[in-house]
Amino acid sequence: MSEESIRTTAELIRHADAVLVGAGSGLSSAAGYNHYHRNAVFEANFHDFEEAYGIQSLFHGFYYIYSKPEQQWGFYSRYIKFMEDAPAGQPYIDLVEILKDKEYFILTTNCDIQIPKVFPEDRIYQFQGDFRYFQCSQPCHDKLYESHDLVSAMLDNMEGLEVPAEWIPRCPECGWKMVPWVQDNTFLQGEAWQTAYQRYEDFVRKYQGKKLLLLELGVGEMTPSIIKLPFWELTAKNENVFYACLNREAAHRPEHLRGRSLYLQGDLAETLAALRQVRSIAATIK
């Protein structure tokens, strides 16, 4: 990361008619909520699950094959409550300021409640769901249920690391077990998901032919078809679109986007903090 590249990115934001953000798990990792690796946050809050099951990360705990659902819901409820209570990370707060006074929309693969804490719902498309909601695991109908009260009840009645069977959430329609509304083979792409998708499509359509900046933040290689590849395609097909990739890791550099793309490699928290500062200084000069 260089000062020149930060200034260039700030200028791209300033001159853009709108900014489409693609937010990946690296943005939460930069905020201290690393879901894929063992870190201090995991050790401080989930060491008992690590001792009991050998779980090494939040992601590992969420998809771990437990011997019974009471154990699984013990982890689910602790994980969801932790993310619900966790303060919005500084990179997210910096992003709010960076986008201030701009037209923007956020496409994200994150479901850890960080983005809805600081951005309005009508400017977010959470492709892989949101921990704040449960759904029927079949699913037998198109409805999401707020998880807060159900999670609180499970935690209040925990026995060790397990949720008693009678407190495991069940679908009020069919009686089948509910599951967190996050991507798996039963994921409900119902009205809520479709509405957010339509907002995303409407935003892209609205700024077709105008100066649109695609700002990719912390997107890895696990699910490139959701953010990275569509962003590349959108840039390639529209001469007024510019693609900026900010990531801690080195990123692929498609030759066909040369001249209309920018890559900033470095600590994402530091990059966003620096970008916010440059944007703030520019605003005062105006």
Side-chain angles (χ1 to χ4, degrees):
M1 178 185 67
S2 67
E3 292 184 10
E4 181 180 355
S5 61
I6 291 293
R7 288 195 296 270
T8 299
T9 306
E11 283 298 294
L12 287 167
I13 294 171
R14 185 168 74 89
H15 290 292
D17 293 313
V19 181
L20 176 59
V21 176
S25 62
L27 188 57
S28 283
S29 295
Y33 308 123
N34 191 318
H35 299 275
Y36 296 95
H37 299 93
R38 188 174 184 273
N39 63 1
V41 169
F42 178 80
E43 293 172 11
N45 295 277
F46 298 91
H47 62 277
D48 46 355
F49 283 93
E50 180 180 13
E51 292 175 359
Y53 306 112
I55 293 166
Q56 293 292 304
S57 69
L58 295 169
F59 184 84
H60 185 195
F62 190 83
Y63 289 103
Y64 183 80
I65 306 301
Y66 297 90
S67 61
K68 53 183 179 177
E70 290 87 346
Q71 297 171 340
Q72 182 180 49
W73 278 98
F75 186 83
Y76 280 176
S77 56
R78 177 89 70 82
Y79 188 7
I80 294 169
K81 178 64 172 173
F82 171 74
M83 292 313 309
E84 182 180 54
D85 291 346
Q90 188 61 44
Y92 287 98
I93 296 170
D94 289 337
L95 184 60
V96 171
E97 292 300 311
I98 290 167
L99 297 175
K100 187 168 62 176
D101 301 327
K102 300 299 299 185
E103 289 297 317
Y104 70 86
F105 193 87
I106 298 174
L107 165 64
T108 183
T109 52
N110 299 345
C111 52
D112 61 1
I113 325 179
Q114 286 288 296
I115 287 177
K117 287 177 182 176
V118 293
F119 290 104
E121 300 277 355
D122 62 358
R123 295 197 181 204
I124 305 169
Y125 174 30
Q126 298 181 99
F127 187 91
Q128 297 190 130
D130 185 330
F131 278 153
R132 293 176 298 166
Y133 301 100
F134 290 158
Q135 64 164 85
C136 174
S137 59
Q138 298 202 66
C140 73
H141 66 298
D142 180 10
K143 185 176 179 180
L144 300 177
Y145 298 85
E146 290 189 5
S147 66
H148 175 80
D149 290 344
L150 295 167
V151 166
S152 295
M154 283 188 281
L155 290 173
D156 287 344
N157 290 277
M158 284 266 284
E159 296 177 355
L161 299 181
E162 299 182 17
V163 172
E166 62 269 25
W167 288 101
I168 292 176
R170 291 192 172 271
C171 173
E173 298 293 328
C174 70
W176 203 247
K177 286 179 291 187
M178 289 205 283
V179 291
W181 186 55
V182 298
Q183 187 71 50
D184 68 1
N185 61 344
T186 66
F187 182 59
L188 178 62
Q189 294 184 348
E191 182 179 358
W193 191 91
Q194 293 291 341
T195 297
Y197 171 72
Q198 191 59 56
R199 290 195 189 110
Y200 167 61
E201 289 280 287
D202 291 345
F203 181 87
V204 173
R205 191 177 300 111
K206 178 179 179 181
Y207 290 99
Q208 188 170 12
K210 299 181 180 179
K211 291 182 180 179
L212 178 63
L213 174 64
L214 307 182
L215 191 62
E216 183 187 294
L217 305 175
V219 175
E221 305 292 335
M222 184 176 294
T223 52
S225 62
I226 299 172
I227 296 174
K228 189 175 289 292
L229 296 183
F231 275 25
W232 288 359
E233 182 179 12
L234 194 57
T235 306
K237 290 183 176 180
N238 298 272
E239 62 181 12
N240 290 318
V241 173
F242 195 96
Y243 168 72
C245 175
L246 282 60
N247 211 318
R248 188 186 68 177
E249 308 297 335
H252 295 297
R253 298 169 178 262
E255 286 298 316
H256 65 288
L257 300 185
R258 185 179 292 275
R260 289 197 291 123
S261 60
L262 175 70
Y263 294 82
L264 277 73
Q265 182 182 359
D267 184 283
L268 193 53
E270 294 177 4
T271 301
L272 291 174
L275 187 55
R276 174 183 178 177
Q277 183 178 31
V278 172
R279 289 271 294 151
S280 177
I281 292 171
T284 59
I285 293 174
K286 287 201 309 181

